[in-house]
């Protein structure tokens, strides 16, 4: 029996954050993804893996849940990352683009790539608002864009189509 027949519509996010050296910060970011709005563990959200690269000072947190709940779980983790990671002291081989570096969303079961795209666009819109709010609420606005806790820029890449 396929998983879509029993109603499992699962997606995952491989959230990349600019922290690996302080394990407790990475764990708190992961824990934030697991909690609902009331601070209680959401039974349908799982952190499947945390991979931390000390040289790059970057961690990848794999969050999986229903496609309908993924956006809010990811945003909760982003908020924790913004609050916990100080980009003014951030070091590592990778470019310091912000506390949250990458938010890719993938289908796991019973979900199409297009549905993940919808979740990604909604999450991006909320993320931009959240990053802007964090920027406005910071005590001292950053001088450089790389010191911003949120988005430093956005670009879209379209793969050229070549017809022969």
């Amino acid at each position: 029996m396929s998983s879509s027949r029993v109603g499992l519509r699962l997606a995952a996010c491989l959230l990349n954050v600019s922290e690996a050296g302080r394990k407790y910060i990475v764990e708190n970011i992961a824990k934030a993804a697991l909690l609902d709005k009331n601070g209680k563990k959401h039974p349908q959200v799982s952190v499947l893996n945390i991979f931390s690269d000390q040289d790059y000072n970057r961690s990848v947190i794999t969050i999986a849940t229903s496609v309908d709940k993924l956006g809010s779980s990811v945003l909760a983790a982003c908020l924790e990352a913004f609050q916990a990671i100080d980009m003014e002291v951030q070091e590592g081989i990778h470019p310091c683009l912000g506390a949250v570096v990458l938010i890719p969303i993938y289908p796991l079961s019973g979900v199409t790539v297009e549905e993940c795209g919808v979740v990604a666009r909604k999450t991006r819109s909320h993320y931009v608002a959240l990053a802007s709010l964090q920027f406005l609420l910071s005590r001292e606005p950053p001088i450089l864009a790389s010191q911003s806790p949120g988005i430093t820029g956005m670009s879209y890449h379209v793969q050229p189509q070549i017809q022969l």
Side-chain angles (χ1 to χ4, degrees):
M1 180 185 302
S2 81
S3 58
S4 60
R5 288 186 189 163
V6 294
L8 294 177
R9 296 179 28 80
L10 302 175
C13 175
L14 277 64
L15 181 65
N16 286 240
V17 297
S18 293
E19 182 59 64
R22 297 175 292 174
K23 185 178 175 183
Y24 71 95
I25 289 179
V26 177
E27 288 175 350
N28 285 341
I29 294 167
K31 286 177 189 174
L34 297 172
L35 303 178
D36 65 16
K37 292 178 182 179
N38 299 320
K40 296 187 180 189
K41 166 79 172 82
H42 196 290
Q44 296 176 348
V45 180
S46 295
V47 171
L48 302 178
N49 187 45
I50 299 174
F51 171 78
S52 295
D53 186 316
Q54 301 296 322
D55 292 333
Y56 281 85
N57 200 17
R58 182 182 286 182
S59 294
V60 179
I61 303 167
T62 305
I63 304 163
T65 187
S66 70
V67 70
D68 300 324
K69 299 203 182 315
L70 187 59
S72 60
S73 293
V74 169
L75 287 171
C78 290
L79 179 58
E80 180 65 29
F82 292 154
Q83 293 171 345
I85 299 172
D86 183 354
M87 292 307 296
E88 290 187 32
V89 297
Q90 175 64 14
E91 292 181 358
I93 295 172
H94 86 302
C96 295
L97 300 174
V100 175
V101 181
L102 190 62
I103 309 174
I105 296 177
Y106 300 98
L108 293 180
S109 173
V111 178
T112 66
V113 172
E114 290 78 15
E115 288 174 288
C116 287
V118 170
V119 172
R121 285 186 290 280
K122 286 181 182 178
T123 303
R124 178 192 64 210
S125 296
H126 288 101
Y127 176 83
V128 169
L130 181 63
S132 299
L133 180 61
Q134 287 296 314
F135 175 77
L136 293 173
L137 294 177
S138 65
R139 283 187 257 144
E140 295 179 33
I143 296 169
L144 302 173
S146 63
Q147 296 172 326
S148 172
I151 292 179
T152 57
M154 294 185 73
S155 63
Y156 295 88
H157 300 280
V158 177
Q159 196 170 25
Q161 294 187 0
I162 301 171
Q163 295 181 343
L164 300 174

